[in-house]
Amino acid sequence: GENVEQHPSTLSVQEGDSAVIKCTYSDSASNYFPWYKQELGKGPQLIIDIRSNVGEKKDQRIAVTLNKTAKHFSLHITETQPEDSAVYFCAASPLYGTDKLIFGTGTRLQVFP
Amino acid sequence: DAGVIQSPRHEVTEMGQEVTLRCKPISGHDYLFWYRQTMMRGLELLIYFNNNVPIDDSGMPEDRFSAKMPNASFSTLKIQPSEPRDSAVYFCASSPQGLKEKLFFGSGTQLSVL
């Protein structure tokens, strides 16, 4: 089945710097890759997603890139702000099988003012 | 819309007791998911429903766990009997179009089994 690895587990940056979180997946048939942000005491919230027919997607300060050959995808946050501090999860959805979303283990991002 | 509503927010119980977690999905969403979050295993899908029908319960850890969706606006996840290893945050999520679209998560129920 699908396996998603996420790195790093923690990331500290200075306000205004960029942050990059990377994920790799094992099932080459996976075709949907969302990113969720979880703030303390809340449920995860979708911030951006990408499908296997595109290589990059941007939404203001957030971008996601996908490399299907290498089976990895990354989240890029530019001009980080303290409110970006949260736990970020990547996920992958296999094309076939039980149609589950397999989540990575999460990255705790801290943005220091 | 108020979003996905879960209750209770916190539940503390003793081993062997029955626990019932509740969820009200967003109106009009045909899919409902129950997830469990722990430090060791991360976010795991337990079960999901489409139009009130259970589609995949392969993530339910044991027969002690059961889930129902009697109508489009209500679902329960029951653990009977509860064990300390069931301690986790349980999330309910809903979606208008399934797993390959945006999931809307509730705020979760923090369960502690002593």
PDB file of all heavy atoms in Angstrom, chain A residues 31-32 36 38 41-44 46 51 89 93-95 98-101 103, chain B residues 9 35 37 43 45 48 56 58-59 91 99-108:
ATOM      1  N   ASN A  31      -2.429  10.006  -7.254  1.00  0.00           N
ATOM      2  CA  ASN A  31      -2.696  11.109  -8.171  1.00  0.00           C
ATOM      3  C   ASN A  31      -3.258  12.360  -7.507  1.00  0.00           C
ATOM      4  O   ASN A  31      -3.631  13.312  -8.188  1.00  0.00           O
ATOM      5  CB  ASN A  31      -3.662  10.645  -9.270  1.00  0.00           C
ATOM      6  CG  ASN A  31      -5.016  10.246  -8.712  1.00  0.00           C
ATOM      7  OD1 ASN A  31      -5.184  10.057  -7.517  1.00  0.00           O
ATOM      8  ND2 ASN A  31      -5.988  10.128  -9.594  1.00  0.00           N
ATOM      9  N   TYR A  32      -3.340  12.368  -6.184  1.00  0.00           N
ATOM     10  CA  TYR A  32      -3.879  13.531  -5.487  1.00  0.00           C
ATOM     11  C   TYR A  32      -3.039  13.771  -4.238  1.00  0.00           C
ATOM     12  O   TYR A  32      -2.830  12.864  -3.436  1.00  0.00           O
ATOM     13  CB  TYR A  32      -5.345  13.292  -5.116  1.00  0.00           C
ATOM     14  CG  TYR A  32      -5.977  14.420  -4.320  1.00  0.00           C
ATOM     15  CD1 TYR A  32      -6.059  15.715  -4.844  1.00  0.00           C
ATOM     16  CD2 TYR A  32      -6.486  14.199  -3.048  1.00  0.00           C
ATOM     17  CE1 TYR A  32      -6.629  16.743  -4.121  1.00  0.00           C
ATOM     18  CE2 TYR A  32      -7.059  15.220  -2.318  1.00  0.00           C
ATOM     19  CZ  TYR A  32      -7.126  16.493  -2.855  1.00  0.00           C
ATOM     20  OH  TYR A  32      -7.695  17.509  -2.137  1.00  0.00           O
ATOM     21  N   TYR A  36      -2.322  19.887   4.540  1.00  0.00           N
ATOM     22  CA  TYR A  36      -3.213  20.378   5.578  1.00  0.00           C
ATOM     23  C   TYR A  36      -2.396  21.078   6.659  1.00  0.00           C
ATOM     24  O   TYR A  36      -1.283  20.665   6.987  1.00  0.00           O
ATOM     25  CB  TYR A  36      -4.002  19.215   6.205  1.00  0.00           C
ATOM     26  CG  TYR A  36      -5.175  18.753   5.368  1.00  0.00           C
ATOM     27  CD1 TYR A  36      -4.986  17.889   4.284  1.00  0.00           C
ATOM     28  CD2 TYR A  36      -6.464  19.196   5.644  1.00  0.00           C
ATOM     29  CE1 TYR A  36      -6.058  17.490   3.511  1.00  0.00           C
ATOM     30  CE2 TYR A  36      -7.546  18.799   4.875  1.00  0.00           C
ATOM     31  CZ  TYR A  36      -7.332  17.950   3.807  1.00  0.00           C
ATOM     32  OH  TYR A  36      -8.402  17.555   3.036  1.00  0.00           O
ATOM     33  N   GLN A  38      -2.591  22.282  10.675  1.00  0.00           N
ATOM     34  CA  GLN A  38      -3.312  22.051  11.913  1.00  0.00           C
ATOM     35  C   GLN A  38      -2.791  22.968  13.004  1.00  0.00           C
ATOM     36  O   GLN A  38      -1.634  22.864  13.421  1.00  0.00           O
ATOM     37  CB  GLN A  38      -3.194  20.585  12.361  1.00  0.00           C
ATOM     38  CG  GLN A  38      -4.049  20.258  13.571  1.00  0.00           C
ATOM     39  CD  GLN A  38      -4.005  18.796  13.965  1.00  0.00           C
ATOM     40  OE1 GLN A  38      -3.093  18.059  13.600  1.00  0.00           O
ATOM     41  NE2 GLN A  38      -4.995  18.349  14.702  1.00  0.00           N
ATOM     42  N   GLY A  41      -5.215  22.666  18.973  1.00  0.00           N
ATOM     43  CA  GLY A  41      -6.591  22.514  19.431  1.00  0.00           C
ATOM     44  C   GLY A  41      -7.636  22.518  18.321  1.00  0.00           C
ATOM     45  O   GLY A  41      -8.836  22.543  18.600  1.00  0.00           O
ATOM     46  N   LYS A  42      -7.180  22.461  17.077  1.00  0.00           N
ATOM     47  CA  LYS A  42      -8.122  22.494  15.957  1.00  0.00           C
ATOM     48  C   LYS A  42      -7.904  21.294  15.038  1.00  0.00           C
ATOM     49  O   LYS A  42      -6.886  20.604  15.116  1.00  0.00           O
ATOM     50  CB  LYS A  42      -7.951  23.786  15.162  1.00  0.00           C
ATOM     51  CG  LYS A  42      -8.273  25.041  15.950  1.00  0.00           C
ATOM     52  CD  LYS A  42      -8.182  26.275  15.058  1.00  0.00           C
ATOM     53  CE  LYS A  42      -8.525  27.535  15.827  1.00  0.00           C
ATOM     54  NZ  LYS A  42      -8.436  28.741  14.969  1.00  0.00           N
ATOM     55  N   GLY A  43      -8.858  21.082  14.164  1.00  0.00           N
ATOM     56  CA  GLY A  43      -8.698  20.038  13.173  1.00  0.00           C
ATOM     57  C   GLY A  43      -7.861  20.529  12.001  1.00  0.00           C
ATOM     58  O   GLY A  43      -7.701  21.724  11.796  1.00  0.00           O
ATOM     59  N   PRO A  44      -7.306  19.605  11.225  1.00  0.00           N
ATOM     60  CA  PRO A  44      -6.537  19.996  10.042  1.00  0.00           C
ATOM     61  C   PRO A  44      -7.398  20.774   9.051  1.00  0.00           C
ATOM     62  O   PRO A  44      -8.598  20.528   8.930  1.00  0.00           O
ATOM     63  CB  PRO A  44      -6.101  18.650   9.451  1.00  0.00           C
ATOM     64  CG  PRO A  44      -6.187  17.677  10.583  1.00  0.00           C
ATOM     65  CD  PRO A  44      -7.328  18.148  11.423  1.00  0.00           C
ATOM     66  N   LEU A  46      -7.343  22.195   4.967  1.00  0.00           N
ATOM     67  CA  LEU A  46      -6.672  22.147   3.665  1.00  0.00           C
ATOM     68  C   LEU A  46      -6.162  23.532   3.289  1.00  0.00           C
ATOM     69  O   LEU A  46      -6.894  24.515   3.366  1.00  0.00           O
ATOM     70  CB  LEU A  46      -7.640  21.660   2.595  1.00  0.00           C
ATOM     71  CG  LEU A  46      -7.062  21.564   1.181  1.00  0.00           C
ATOM     72  CD1 LEU A  46      -6.128  20.368   1.079  1.00  0.00           C
ATOM     73  CD2 LEU A  46      -8.161  21.472   0.125  1.00  0.00           C
ATOM     74  N   ARG A  51      -2.728  17.928  -8.199  1.00  0.00           N
ATOM     75  CA  ARG A  51      -3.047  16.648  -8.825  1.00  0.00           C
ATOM     76  C   ARG A  51      -1.937  16.278  -9.789  1.00  0.00           C
ATOM     77  O   ARG A  51      -1.155  17.130 -10.202  1.00  0.00           O
ATOM     78  CB  ARG A  51      -4.404  16.726  -9.531  1.00  0.00           C
ATOM     79  CG  ARG A  51      -5.521  17.030  -8.552  1.00  0.00           C
ATOM     80  CD  ARG A  51      -6.883  17.202  -9.172  1.00  0.00           C
ATOM     81  NE  ARG A  51      -7.801  17.784  -8.198  1.00  0.00           N
ATOM     82  CZ  ARG A  51      -8.456  17.088  -7.277  1.00  0.00           C
ATOM     83  NH1 ARG A  51      -8.312  15.776  -7.225  1.00  0.00           N
ATOM     84  NH2 ARG A  51      -9.252  17.696  -6.413  1.00  0.00           N
ATOM     85  N   PHE A  89       0.691  18.788   7.438  1.00  0.00           N
ATOM     86  CA  PHE A  89       0.636  17.390   7.004  1.00  0.00           C
ATOM     87  C   PHE A  89       0.519  17.323   5.493  1.00  0.00           C
ATOM     88  O   PHE A  89      -0.311  18.010   4.899  1.00  0.00           O
ATOM     89  CB  PHE A  89      -0.579  16.674   7.599  1.00  0.00           C
ATOM     90  CG  PHE A  89      -0.531  16.497   9.085  1.00  0.00           C
ATOM     91  CD1 PHE A  89      -1.122  17.419   9.927  1.00  0.00           C
ATOM     92  CD2 PHE A  89       0.092  15.385   9.634  1.00  0.00           C
ATOM     93  CE1 PHE A  89      -1.081  17.252  11.306  1.00  0.00           C
ATOM     94  CE2 PHE A  89       0.132  15.211  11.013  1.00  0.00           C
ATOM     95  CZ  PHE A  89      -0.454  16.152  11.843  1.00  0.00           C
ATOM     96  N   SER A  93      -3.105  10.212  -2.185  1.00  0.00           N
ATOM     97  CA  SER A  93      -4.262   9.351  -2.392  1.00  0.00           C
ATOM     98  C   SER A  93      -3.999   8.422  -3.564  1.00  0.00           C
ATOM     99  O   SER A  93      -3.811   8.889  -4.696  1.00  0.00           O
ATOM    100  CB  SER A  93      -5.505  10.179  -2.653  1.00  0.00           C
ATOM    101  OG  SER A  93      -6.633   9.347  -2.872  1.00  0.00           O
ATOM    102  N   PRO A  94      -3.968   7.117  -3.303  1.00  0.00           N
ATOM    103  CA  PRO A  94      -3.748   6.165  -4.394  1.00  0.00           C
ATOM    104  C   PRO A  94      -4.870   6.230  -5.406  1.00  0.00           C
ATOM    105  O   PRO A  94      -6.019   6.526  -5.067  1.00  0.00           O
ATOM    106  CB  PRO A  94      -3.720   4.805  -3.682  1.00  0.00           C
ATOM    107  CG  PRO A  94      -3.479   5.125  -2.245  1.00  0.00           C
ATOM    108  CD  PRO A  94      -4.092   6.464  -2.013  1.00  0.00           C
ATOM    109  N   LEU A  95      -4.536   5.915  -6.633  1.00  0.00           N
ATOM    110  CA  LEU A  95      -5.541   5.932  -7.692  1.00  0.00           C
ATOM    111  C   LEU A  95      -6.484   4.750  -7.557  1.00  0.00           C
ATOM    112  O   LEU A  95      -7.678   4.862  -7.798  1.00  0.00           O
ATOM    113  CB  LEU A  95      -4.832   5.904  -9.050  1.00  0.00           C
ATOM    114  CG  LEU A  95      -5.712   5.938 -10.304  1.00  0.00           C
ATOM    115  CD1 LEU A  95      -6.526   7.219 -10.334  1.00  0.00           C
ATOM    116  CD2 LEU A  95      -4.858   5.837 -11.549  1.00  0.00           C
ATOM    117  N   THR A  98      -8.500   1.096  -2.003  1.00  0.00           N
ATOM    118  CA  THR A  98      -9.576   1.521  -1.112  1.00  0.00           C
ATOM    119  C   THR A  98      -9.751   3.036  -1.076  1.00  0.00           C
ATOM    120  O   THR A  98     -10.527   3.526  -0.298  1.00  0.00           O
ATOM    121  CB  THR A  98      -9.301   1.010   0.306  1.00  0.00           C
ATOM    122  OG1 THR A  98      -7.994   1.465   0.718  1.00  0.00           O
ATOM    123  CG2 THR A  98      -9.331  -0.500   0.350  1.00  0.00           C
ATOM    124  N   ASP A  99      -9.026   3.751  -1.915  1.00  0.00           N
ATOM    125  CA  ASP A  99      -9.262   5.178  -2.055  1.00  0.00           C
ATOM    126  C   ASP A  99      -9.049   5.928  -0.742  1.00  0.00           C
ATOM    127  O   ASP A  99      -9.850   6.774  -0.354  1.00  0.00           O
ATOM    128  CB  ASP A  99     -10.691   5.428  -2.563  1.00  0.00           C
ATOM    129  CG  ASP A  99     -10.856   6.823  -3.130  1.00  0.00           C
ATOM    130  OD1 ASP A  99      -9.854   7.383  -3.609  1.00  0.00           O
ATOM    131  OD2 ASP A  99     -11.978   7.346  -3.088  1.00  0.00           O
ATOM    132  N   LYS A 100      -8.000   5.600  -0.042  1.00  0.00           N
ATOM    133  CA  LYS A 100      -7.709   6.276   1.220  1.00  0.00           C
ATOM    134  C   LYS A 100      -6.752   7.435   0.999  1.00  0.00           C
ATOM    135  O   LYS A 100      -5.955   7.440   0.076  1.00  0.00           O
ATOM    136  CB  LYS A 100      -7.058   5.298   2.204  1.00  0.00           C
ATOM    137  CG  LYS A 100      -7.989   4.264   2.763  1.00  0.00           C
ATOM    138  CD  LYS A 100      -7.257   3.411   3.796  1.00  0.00           C
ATOM    139  CE  LYS A 100      -8.190   2.386   4.408  1.00  0.00           C
ATOM    140  NZ  LYS A 100      -7.512   1.590   5.455  1.00  0.00           N
ATOM    141  N   LEU A 101      -6.831   8.408   1.895  1.00  0.00           N
ATOM    142  CA  LEU A 101      -5.820   9.452   1.978  1.00  0.00           C
ATOM    143  C   LEU A 101      -4.801   9.003   3.011  1.00  0.00           C
ATOM    144  O   LEU A 101      -5.155   8.777   4.163  1.00  0.00           O
ATOM    145  CB  LEU A 101      -6.438  10.772   2.447  1.00  0.00           C
ATOM    146  CG  LEU A 101      -6.606  11.909   1.468  1.00  0.00           C
ATOM    147  CD1 LEU A 101      -7.088  13.161   2.202  1.00  0.00           C
ATOM    148  CD2 LEU A 101      -5.345  12.215   0.700  1.00  0.00           C
ATOM    149  N   PHE A 103      -1.699  10.000   5.212  1.00  0.00           N
ATOM    150  CA  PHE A 103      -1.055  11.214   5.698  1.00  0.00           C
ATOM    151  C   PHE A 103       0.398  10.973   6.082  1.00  0.00           C
ATOM    152  O   PHE A 103       0.766   9.881   6.544  1.00  0.00           O
ATOM    153  CB  PHE A 103      -1.793  11.752   6.924  1.00  0.00           C
ATOM    154  CG  PHE A 103      -3.067  12.487   6.600  1.00  0.00           C
ATOM    155  CD1 PHE A 103      -4.269  11.799   6.487  1.00  0.00           C
ATOM    156  CD2 PHE A 103      -3.074  13.855   6.405  1.00  0.00           C
ATOM    157  CE1 PHE A 103      -5.438  12.473   6.180  1.00  0.00           C
ATOM    158  CE2 PHE A 103      -4.240  14.536   6.105  1.00  0.00           C
ATOM    159  CZ  PHE A 103      -5.428  13.840   5.988  1.00  0.00           C
TER     160      PHE A 103
ATOM    161  N   ARG B   9     -15.922  17.787  23.341  1.00  0.00           N
ATOM    162  CA  ARG B   9     -14.565  18.222  22.999  1.00  0.00           C
ATOM    163  C   ARG B   9     -13.529  17.414  23.774  1.00  0.00           C
ATOM    164  O   ARG B   9     -12.448  17.119  23.268  1.00  0.00           O
ATOM    165  CB  ARG B   9     -14.373  19.705  23.319  1.00  0.00           C
ATOM    166  CG  ARG B   9     -15.033  20.647  22.342  1.00  0.00           C
ATOM    167  CD  ARG B   9     -14.511  20.490  20.908  1.00  0.00           C
ATOM    168  NE  ARG B   9     -13.066  20.520  20.788  1.00  0.00           N
ATOM    169  CZ  ARG B   9     -12.336  21.622  20.652  1.00  0.00           C
ATOM    170  NH1 ARG B   9     -12.910  22.798  20.629  1.00  0.00           N
ATOM    171  NH2 ARG B   9     -11.010  21.551  20.527  1.00  0.00           N
ATOM    172  N   TYR B  35     -11.457   9.923  11.722  1.00  0.00           N
ATOM    173  CA  TYR B  35     -10.011   9.760  11.812  1.00  0.00           C
ATOM    174  C   TYR B  35      -9.597   9.708  13.272  1.00  0.00           C
ATOM    175  O   TYR B  35     -10.249  10.273  14.145  1.00  0.00           O
ATOM    176  CB  TYR B  35      -9.280  10.955  11.169  1.00  0.00           C
ATOM    177  CG  TYR B  35      -9.175  10.910   9.664  1.00  0.00           C
ATOM    178  CD1 TYR B  35     -10.174  11.438   8.859  1.00  0.00           C
ATOM    179  CD2 TYR B  35      -8.061  10.358   9.043  1.00  0.00           C
ATOM    180  CE1 TYR B  35     -10.066  11.415   7.476  1.00  0.00           C
ATOM    181  CE2 TYR B  35      -7.947  10.332   7.658  1.00  0.00           C
ATOM    182  CZ  TYR B  35      -8.950  10.867   6.895  1.00  0.00           C
ATOM    183  OH  TYR B  35      -8.842  10.841   5.525  1.00  0.00           O
ATOM    184  N   GLN B  37      -6.082  10.446  15.666  1.00  0.00           N
ATOM    185  CA  GLN B  37      -4.748  11.044  15.635  1.00  0.00           C
ATOM    186  C   GLN B  37      -3.994  10.724  16.916  1.00  0.00           C
ATOM    187  O   GLN B  37      -4.464  11.027  18.016  1.00  0.00           O
ATOM    188  CB  GLN B  37      -4.818  12.559  15.441  1.00  0.00           C
ATOM    189  CG  GLN B  37      -3.459  13.215  15.272  1.00  0.00           C
ATOM    190  CD  GLN B  37      -3.563  14.704  14.964  1.00  0.00           C
ATOM    191  OE1 GLN B  37      -4.372  15.428  15.542  1.00  0.00           O
ATOM    192  NE2 GLN B  37      -2.739  15.169  14.027  1.00  0.00           N
ATOM    193  N   LEU B  43      -2.287  10.503  11.704  1.00  0.00           N
ATOM    194  CA  LEU B  43      -3.704  10.547  11.330  1.00  0.00           C
ATOM    195  C   LEU B  43      -4.069   9.262  10.594  1.00  0.00           C
ATOM    196  O   LEU B  43      -3.541   8.973   9.530  1.00  0.00           O
ATOM    197  CB  LEU B  43      -3.971  11.744  10.417  1.00  0.00           C
ATOM    198  CG  LEU B  43      -4.344  13.054  11.068  1.00  0.00           C
ATOM    199  CD1 LEU B  43      -4.202  14.191  10.080  1.00  0.00           C
ATOM    200  CD2 LEU B  43      -5.763  13.008  11.616  1.00  0.00           C
ATOM    201  N   LEU B  45      -7.297   6.900   9.039  1.00  0.00           N
ATOM    202  CA  LEU B  45      -8.703   6.804   8.686  1.00  0.00           C
ATOM    203  C   LEU B  45      -9.293   5.546   9.306  1.00  0.00           C
ATOM    204  O   LEU B  45      -8.784   4.448   9.098  1.00  0.00           O
ATOM    205  CB  LEU B  45      -8.871   6.767   7.166  1.00  0.00           C
ATOM    206  CG  LEU B  45     -10.298   6.597   6.656  1.00  0.00           C
ATOM    207  CD1 LEU B  45     -11.147   7.810   7.021  1.00  0.00           C
ATOM    208  CD2 LEU B  45     -10.308   6.381   5.140  1.00  0.00           C
ATOM    209  N   TYR B  48     -15.290   5.416   6.607  1.00  0.00           N
ATOM    210  CA  TYR B  48     -15.989   6.520   5.988  1.00  0.00           C
ATOM    211  C   TYR B  48     -17.317   6.074   5.390  1.00  0.00           C
ATOM    212  O   TYR B  48     -17.498   4.903   5.047  1.00  0.00           O
ATOM    213  CB  TYR B  48     -15.112   7.285   4.998  1.00  0.00           C
ATOM    214  CG  TYR B  48     -14.895   6.686   3.626  1.00  0.00           C
ATOM    215  CD1 TYR B  48     -15.726   7.015   2.551  1.00  0.00           C
ATOM    216  CD2 TYR B  48     -13.812   5.839   3.383  1.00  0.00           C
ATOM    217  CE1 TYR B  48     -15.484   6.521   1.280  1.00  0.00           C
ATOM    218  CE2 TYR B  48     -13.569   5.341   2.111  1.00  0.00           C
ATOM    219  CZ  TYR B  48     -14.399   5.688   1.070  1.00  0.00           C
ATOM    220  OH  TYR B  48     -14.164   5.191  -0.199  1.00  0.00           O
ATOM    221  N   ASP B  56     -15.917   1.917   3.705  1.00  0.00           N
ATOM    222  CA  ASP B  56     -14.653   1.267   4.026  1.00  0.00           C
ATOM    223  C   ASP B  56     -14.415   1.375   5.525  1.00  0.00           C
ATOM    224  O   ASP B  56     -14.203   2.465   6.036  1.00  0.00           O
ATOM    225  CB  ASP B  56     -13.517   1.924   3.255  1.00  0.00           C
ATOM    226  CG  ASP B  56     -12.175   1.230   3.472  1.00  0.00           C
ATOM    227  OD1 ASP B  56     -12.086   0.325   4.334  1.00  0.00           O
ATOM    228  OD2 ASP B  56     -11.198   1.602   2.788  1.00  0.00           O
ATOM    229  N   SER B  58     -12.088  -0.685   7.002  1.00  0.00           N
ATOM    230  CA  SER B  58     -10.874  -1.479   7.198  1.00  0.00           C
ATOM    231  C   SER B  58      -9.907  -0.849   8.206  1.00  0.00           C
ATOM    232  O   SER B  58      -9.029  -1.525   8.729  1.00  0.00           O
ATOM    233  CB  SER B  58     -10.153  -1.706   5.870  1.00  0.00           C
ATOM    234  OG  SER B  58      -9.778  -0.475   5.295  1.00  0.00           O
ATOM    235  N   GLY B  59     -10.097   0.424   8.503  1.00  0.00           N
ATOM    236  CA  GLY B  59      -9.238   1.083   9.479  1.00  0.00           C
ATOM    237  C   GLY B  59      -9.710   0.955  10.918  1.00  0.00           C
ATOM    238  O   GLY B  59      -8.990   1.332  11.845  1.00  0.00           O
ATOM    239  N   PHE B  91     -11.155  12.703  15.114  1.00  0.00           N
ATOM    240  CA  PHE B  91     -11.692  13.745  14.251  1.00  0.00           C
ATOM    241  C   PHE B  91     -12.771  13.172  13.343  1.00  0.00           C
ATOM    242  O   PHE B  91     -12.657  12.070  12.817  1.00  0.00           O
ATOM    243  CB  PHE B  91     -10.598  14.344  13.367  1.00  0.00           C
ATOM    244  CG  PHE B  91      -9.623  15.221  14.084  1.00  0.00           C
ATOM    245  CD1 PHE B  91      -8.354  14.772  14.403  1.00  0.00           C
ATOM    246  CD2 PHE B  91      -9.982  16.518  14.432  1.00  0.00           C
ATOM    247  CE1 PHE B  91      -7.454  15.581  15.063  1.00  0.00           C
ATOM    248  CE2 PHE B  91      -9.088  17.338  15.093  1.00  0.00           C
ATOM    249  CZ  PHE B  91      -7.825  16.873  15.416  1.00  0.00           C
ATOM    250  N   LEU B  99     -12.743  11.612  -1.046  1.00  0.00           N
ATOM    251  CA  LEU B  99     -11.389  11.758  -0.522  1.00  0.00           C
ATOM    252  C   LEU B  99     -10.492  12.594  -1.417  1.00  0.00           C
ATOM    253  O   LEU B  99      -9.500  13.137  -0.959  1.00  0.00           O
ATOM    254  CB  LEU B  99     -10.766  10.383  -0.322  1.00  0.00           C
ATOM    255  CG  LEU B  99     -11.141   9.690   0.988  1.00  0.00           C
ATOM    256  CD1 LEU B  99     -10.793   8.224   0.907  1.00  0.00           C
ATOM    257  CD2 LEU B  99     -10.441  10.341   2.154  1.00  0.00           C
ATOM    258  N   LYS B 100     -10.792  12.700  -2.663  1.00  0.00           N
ATOM    259  CA  LYS B 100      -9.916  13.453  -3.555  1.00  0.00           C
ATOM    260  C   LYS B 100     -10.365  14.902  -3.699  1.00  0.00           C
ATOM    261  O   LYS B 100     -10.058  15.581  -4.655  1.00  0.00           O
ATOM    262  CB  LYS B 100      -9.831  12.766  -4.916  1.00  0.00           C
ATOM    263  CG  LYS B 100      -9.023  11.482  -4.848  1.00  0.00           C
ATOM    264  CD  LYS B 100      -8.807  10.852  -6.193  1.00  0.00           C
ATOM    265  CE  LYS B 100      -7.765   9.746  -6.161  1.00  0.00           C
ATOM    266  NZ  LYS B 100      -8.068   8.678  -5.198  1.00  0.00           N
ATOM    267  N   GLU B 101     -11.085  15.352  -2.723  1.00  0.00           N
ATOM    268  CA  GLU B 101     -11.475  16.750  -2.639  1.00  0.00           C
ATOM    269  C   GLU B 101     -11.245  17.224  -1.203  1.00  0.00           C
ATOM    270  O   GLU B 101     -10.867  16.450  -0.340  1.00  0.00           O
ATOM    271  CB  GLU B 101     -12.948  16.921  -3.028  1.00  0.00           C
ATOM    272  CG  GLU B 101     -13.278  16.468  -4.429  1.00  0.00           C
ATOM    273  CD  GLU B 101     -12.612  17.294  -5.502  1.00  0.00           C
ATOM    274  OE1 GLU B 101     -12.282  18.463  -5.228  1.00  0.00           O
ATOM    275  OE2 GLU B 101     -12.418  16.765  -6.620  1.00  0.00           O
ATOM    276  N   LYS B 102     -11.502  18.502  -0.974  1.00  0.00           N
ATOM    277  CA  LYS B 102     -11.233  19.099   0.332  1.00  0.00           C
ATOM    278  C   LYS B 102     -12.039  18.403   1.417  1.00  0.00           C
ATOM    279  O   LYS B 102     -13.248  18.235   1.286  1.00  0.00           O
ATOM    280  CB  LYS B 102     -11.573  20.577   0.284  1.00  0.00           C
ATOM    281  CG  LYS B 102     -11.321  21.322   1.582  1.00  0.00           C
ATOM    282  CD  LYS B 102     -11.634  22.805   1.404  1.00  0.00           C
ATOM    283  CE  LYS B 102     -11.375  23.583   2.671  1.00  0.00           C
ATOM    284  NZ  LYS B 102     -11.637  25.031   2.488  1.00  0.00           N
ATOM    285  N   LEU B 103     -11.343  18.013   2.491  1.00  0.00           N
ATOM    286  CA  LEU B 103     -11.996  17.501   3.678  1.00  0.00           C
ATOM    287  C   LEU B 103     -12.146  18.633   4.680  1.00  0.00           C
ATOM    288  O   LEU B 103     -11.204  19.390   4.905  1.00  0.00           O
ATOM    289  CB  LEU B 103     -11.181  16.377   4.319  1.00  0.00           C
ATOM    290  CG  LEU B 103     -10.886  15.130   3.488  1.00  0.00           C
ATOM    291  CD1 LEU B 103     -10.145  14.100   4.332  1.00  0.00           C
ATOM    292  CD2 LEU B 103     -12.169  14.540   2.934  1.00  0.00           C
ATOM    293  N   PHE B 104     -13.315  18.737   5.285  1.00  0.00           N
ATOM    294  CA  PHE B 104     -13.573  19.726   6.319  1.00  0.00           C
ATOM    295  C   PHE B 104     -13.587  18.994   7.661  1.00  0.00           C
ATOM    296  O   PHE B 104     -14.474  18.182   7.908  1.00  0.00           O
ATOM    297  CB  PHE B 104     -14.927  20.410   6.074  1.00  0.00           C
ATOM    298  CG  PHE B 104     -14.971  21.244   4.823  1.00  0.00           C
ATOM    299  CD1 PHE B 104     -15.117  20.651   3.575  1.00  0.00           C
ATOM    300  CD2 PHE B 104     -14.879  22.630   4.891  1.00  0.00           C
ATOM    301  CE1 PHE B 104     -15.156  21.414   2.407  1.00  0.00           C
ATOM    302  CE2 PHE B 104     -14.926  23.400   3.744  1.00  0.00           C
ATOM    303  CZ  PHE B 104     -15.059  22.793   2.497  1.00  0.00           C
ATOM    304  N   PHE B 105     -12.603  19.298   8.483  1.00  0.00           N
ATOM    305  CA  PHE B 105     -12.474  18.614   9.764  1.00  0.00           C
ATOM    306  C   PHE B 105     -13.190  19.380  10.877  1.00  0.00           C
ATOM    307  O   PHE B 105     -13.218  20.614  10.891  1.00  0.00           O
ATOM    308  CB  PHE B 105     -11.001  18.483  10.159  1.00  0.00           C
ATOM    309  CG  PHE B 105     -10.266  17.385   9.433  1.00  0.00           C
ATOM    310  CD1 PHE B 105      -9.751  17.595   8.165  1.00  0.00           C
ATOM    311  CD2 PHE B 105     -10.079  16.148  10.031  1.00  0.00           C
ATOM    312  CE1 PHE B 105      -9.066  16.586   7.489  1.00  0.00           C
ATOM    313  CE2 PHE B 105      -9.398  15.137   9.374  1.00  0.00           C
ATOM    314  CZ  PHE B 105      -8.891  15.365   8.102  1.00  0.00           C
ATOM    315  N   GLY B 106     -13.721  18.609  11.832  1.00  0.00           N
ATOM    316  CA  GLY B 106     -14.200  19.196  13.068  1.00  0.00           C
ATOM    317  C   GLY B 106     -13.026  19.488  13.994  1.00  0.00           C
ATOM    318  O   GLY B 106     -11.865  19.245  13.645  1.00  0.00           O
ATOM    319  N   SER B 107     -13.324  19.989  15.170  1.00  0.00           N
ATOM    320  CA  SER B 107     -12.272  20.348  16.127  1.00  0.00           C
ATOM    321  C   SER B 107     -11.765  19.165  16.932  1.00  0.00           C
ATOM    322  O   SER B 107     -10.812  19.293  17.688  1.00  0.00           O
ATOM    323  CB  SER B 107     -12.777  21.436  17.076  1.00  0.00           C
ATOM    324  OG  SER B 107     -13.071  22.616  16.363  1.00  0.00           O
ATOM    325  N   GLY B 108     -12.415  18.025  16.773  1.00  0.00           N
ATOM    326  CA  GLY B 108     -11.921  16.812  17.404  1.00  0.00           C
ATOM    327  C   GLY B 108     -12.451  16.577  18.805  1.00  0.00           C
ATOM    328  O   GLY B 108     -12.946  17.496  19.480  1.00  0.00           O
TER     329      GLY B 108
END
